[in-house]
Amino acid sequence: MIISVSIANVKNTDTKEIYSVTGNQLLGNLDLMSQKQVSEAIHNASDAQTQWAETELYKRAEILHNWADKLVENQQEIAQMVSEEVGKGLASAQKEVVRTADLIRYTAEEGVRYHGDMMKGDSFKGGSKDKIAMVEQEPLGVVLAISPFNYPVNLAASKIAPALITGNSVVFKPATQGALSGQLMIKALLETDLPEGVIQFVTGKGSEIGDFIVTHPKIDMVTFTGSTEVGQSISQQAKMIPVVLELGGKDPAIVLEDADLELAAKNIVGGAFSYSGQRCTAIKRVLVADSAADELAEKIKKEMDQLSVGSPADNATITPLINDEAADKVENLIIDAIEKGAELVVGNKREDNLIYPTLLDNVTSDMEIAWTEPFGPVLPIIRIQNEDDYVAISNESQYGLQASIFTEDVKKAMHIGSKLEVGSVQYNAKTERGPDHFPFIGAKNSGLGSQGIRRSIESMTRDKVFILNM
Ligand code: NAP
Ligand code: G3P
């Protein structure tokens, strides 16, 4: 199937051909919109917003439920596109679509119960019973949602659904490689009773239209998921509007001496290598007690030997990376580490964009792989001699998304967890985002603000206070 992505009123636009990650098969054409066209789309969203905010809440929720139903109905077609466009195993792509439908439904349900509150004046000294505040949550206006390539459906809907339920209109800019999947998702939304204009699909290269949309005067909020580099640029440019950012990570798996190493190895491999490590929440380094390191490395290798390598259509876990540059980056990190003395346990093999799962032991802090987010299937093991170094080395990273701690000692686990500069700590399990209603936070250069269904809803509204003076 070859599809063409455009908004109805755009004519004579430059286009870009989008090819599959494997097989180089033409999947469709993408409009590269001009600034004028983008601006028109933003104005359309702005014009539609007031009426949308006045639409009854139950009706907005119904539209979201309807959208979820249509995603489930079309899951095969959408998953097929996700799988081909971003190289994700077909079954995982299908899971992404169904997970997204669940997320949309939960958002609709949370949204209909999201009311303001009432405050009585006499609870503050000097206040009065005759003053009552009614605090209502207003939509912000036009929300700009920018998503990355790796979850082209889930990380788009997790922005669009909370924005819509709270009465915002949305300008959605997908990753260029991922836009065809995004378009199928939007097509499903447009098949509901959503009024015209409320969602605007804006396509083009981020490097060309990104700054323009972020700084457009009709944009009232930016919600972004992607690299730290782009996120930082957005936060510097957006003026006087809220910005929520989900950025890169370097999540450590901290394995203490007393850990169940079998459990740790299984979780580490699952966490590090699913979708070839192209997840913000992938485990990206192992910090293990020196005394347990040999045994853990052996168990990790054993688990890695089970990983399937190959094509997304065959549901392989390790599939070709999103593009040549991504594969070059991972390969260079591996070469740098080996040149500086890391021990190659397994891997370091490349076929085009396909990087075989690679495990490096005895990684030290002078190696780039100790600090850089590879976004690919390579895992460094750093051996820890001194207990203080679990926290010190974890926190030396610019990132602070999640961390896992493997130990049977709850007290120690809590003590270490409390000192880690991260958004979430997982005990005896891999790092991961879900379930999607949990708060999801990036500390330091991993993000700004909090996500997760309830938090996302809150981030897209502002308080408005009506004070009754009786
Ligand atoms: P990316 O290169 O930063 O791109 C993300 C999005 O930003 C794309 O839609 C891109 O459009 C757009 N963009 C590029 N330049 C822009 C600009 N100047 N202004 C506005 N938008 C711009 O990231 P990616 O390669 O797609 O995704 C991988 C990164 O995302 C990793 O670092 C990963 O850790 C992070 N990530 C984080 C989370 C999280 O929840 N913390 C989740 C997933 C991914 P184009 O595609 O057109 O360039
Ligand atoms: O990188 C995308 C992020 O949202 C991760 O989700 O479920 O793979 O941990 P998950």
Side-chain angles (χ1 to χ4, degrees):
M1 176 188 53
I2 297 181
I3 65 172
S4 178
V5 176
S6 60
I7 57 169
N9 55 354
V10 173
K11 299 268 183 309
N12 302 324
T13 305
D14 287 342
T15 57
K16 179 179 165 54
E17 292 178 332
I18 304 291
Y19 292 88
S20 60
V21 166
T22 45
N24 222 16
Q25 178 199 343
L26 181 63
L27 298 175
N29 295 296
L30 189 71
D31 280 337
L32 299 176
M33 292 167 66
S34 67
Q35 291 189 355
K36 185 163 172 282
Q37 290 162 336
V38 166
S39 186
E40 201 179 307
I42 297 173
H43 279 278
N44 288 344
S46 177
D47 292 346
Q49 192 265 326
T50 314
Q51 191 60 38
W52 175 242
E54 282 176 10
T55 303
E56 288 92 341
L57 186 49
Y58 88 89
K59 179 73 191 154
R60 298 203 298 265
E62 251 178 29
I63 288 172
L64 289 192
H65 279 291
N66 207 339
W67 182 23
D69 293 344
K70 287 186 188 303
L71 289 180
V72 172
E73 272 166 38
N74 297 314
Q75 59 179 285
Q76 303 287 0
E77 184 195 3
I78 301 174
Q80 182 76 29
M81 180 56 84
V82 170
S83 178
E84 290 177 356
E85 192 179 16
V86 304
K88 185 176 288 188
L90 191 54
S92 301
Q94 203 161 338
K95 267 194 206 149
E96 180 181 343
V97 180
V98 175
R99 168 183 177 179
T100 303
D102 290 342
L103 179 151
I104 293 169
R105 290 196 186 103
Y106 194 106
T107 306
E109 286 160 20
E110 191 77 6
V112 292
R113 289 174 185 82
Y114 183 57
H115 300 296
D117 54 348
M118 197 192 78
M119 297 171 84
K120 290 184 176 173
D122 67 339
S123 54
F124 194 86
K125 192 175 173 190
S128 152
K129 269 188 189 317
D130 294 338
K131 258 187 196 301
I132 296 176
M134 288 175 290
V135 187
E136 192 184 64
Q137 265 71 44
E138 281 200 325
L140 298 174
V142 181
V143 169
L144 169 62
I146 305 178
S147 58
F149 78 84
N150 64 338
Y151 280 82
V153 173
N154 188 265
L155 289 177
S158 64
K159 299 169 176 53
I160 296 170
L164 293 182
I165 195 68
T166 44
N168 297 281
S169 60
V170 178
V171 173
F172 166 43
K173 147 82 184 95
T176 295
Q177 189 78 28
L180 301 182
S181 308
Q183 190 255 1
L184 289 179
M185 183 193 62
I186 294 300
K187 187 169 155 260
L189 176 57
L190 293 175
E191 284 166 9
T192 69
D193 290 338
L194 187 78
E196 208 180 315
V198 174
I199 180 88
Q200 295 288 325
F201 188 57
V202 161
T203 53
K205 287 196 183 140
S207 52
E208 283 160 25
I209 58 166
D211 293 356
F212 180 77
I213 37 178
V214 166
T215 55
H216 195 286
K218 290 276 180 191
I219 294 295
D220 299 301
M221 183 215 179
V222 184
T223 170
F224 170 85
T225 303
S227 61
T228 292
E229 192 189 0
V230 175
Q232 283 175 332
S233 147
I234 288 175
S235 76
Q236 278 158 11
Q237 296 200 57
K239 300 255 166 20
M240 292 296 286
I241 56 171
V243 174
V244 171
L245 304 172
E246 296 180 351
L247 309 176
K250 187 73 183 168
D251 295 0
I254 294 173
V255 185
L256 305 191
E257 208 167 15
D258 71 335
D260 175 340
L261 297 184
E262 204 71 46
L263 174 90
K266 272 193 177 22
N267 275 275
I268 287 170
V269 172
F273 294 102
S274 60
Y275 186 34
S276 313
Q278 296 175 112
R279 294 165 51 240
C280 59
T281 47
I283 287 178
K284 291 175 182 143
R285 48 188 172 145
V286 175
L287 309 184
V288 56
D290 193 35
S291 56
D294 285 345
E295 198 181 335
L296 182 71
E298 200 181 302
K299 288 184 188 303
I300 291 177
K301 182 186 173 299
K302 215 166 128 201
E303 288 292 326
M304 286 174 67
D305 290 342
Q306 313 297 317
L307 291 171
S308 51
V309 180
S311 146
D314 295 336
N315 281 321
T317 303
I318 306 295
T319 53
L321 297 182
I322 192 74
N323 54 35
D324 287 343
E325 296 77 54
D328 291 347
K329 178 180 173 183
V330 176
E331 189 178 30
N332 288 333
L333 287 169
I334 297 170
I335 292 170
D336 172 77
I338 293 172
E339 279 176 3
K340 289 178 179 155
E343 179 198 337
L344 175 68
V345 182
V346 62
N348 190 25
K349 186 175 152 197
R350 175 176 178 176
E351 287 162 10
D352 299 322
N353 292 352
L354 180 67
I355 303 270
Y356 279 70
T358 300
L359 182 64
L360 297 165
D361 197 354
N362 286 301
V363 167
T364 48
S365 58
D366 57 326
M367 302 173 191
E368 270 187 66
I369 189 68
W371 310 111
T372 303
E373 179 188 46
F375 230 58
V378 54
L379 182 65
I381 296 179
I382 299 171
R383 292 173 175 237
I384 300 295
Q385 319 289 341
N386 173 343
E387 284 222 342
D388 293 342
D389 282 348
Y390 293 118
V391 172
I393 295 176
S394 291
N395 289 351
E396 207 174 322
S397 168
Q398 63 158 319
Y399 299 111
L401 197 55
Q402 296 204 348
S404 287
I405 304 175
F406 293 90
T407 175
E408 303 285 292
D409 185 337
V410 177
K411 219 168 142 189
K412 231 178 210 175
M414 294 305 286
H415 177 72
I416 293 176
S418 70
K419 292 194 176 327
L420 293 175
E421 295 163 356
V422 295
S424 319
V425 182
Q426 305 265 359
Y427 293 109
N428 290 320
K430 64 187 176 205
T431 47
E432 64 183 351
R433 182 194 186 106
D436 289 335
H437 66 305
F438 282 8
F440 184 64
I441 307 107
K444 303 199 289 191
N445 284 343
S446 285
L448 195 64
S450 185
Q451 305 269 291
I453 292 172
R454 177 75 184 193
R455 299 286 193 275
S456 300
I457 285 176
E458 288 166 359
S459 76
M460 292 175 183
T461 59
R462 73 167 76 81
D463 285 342
K464 181 159 183 181
V465 189
F466 300 89
I467 301 152
L468 279 184
N469 291 285
M470 295 180 295

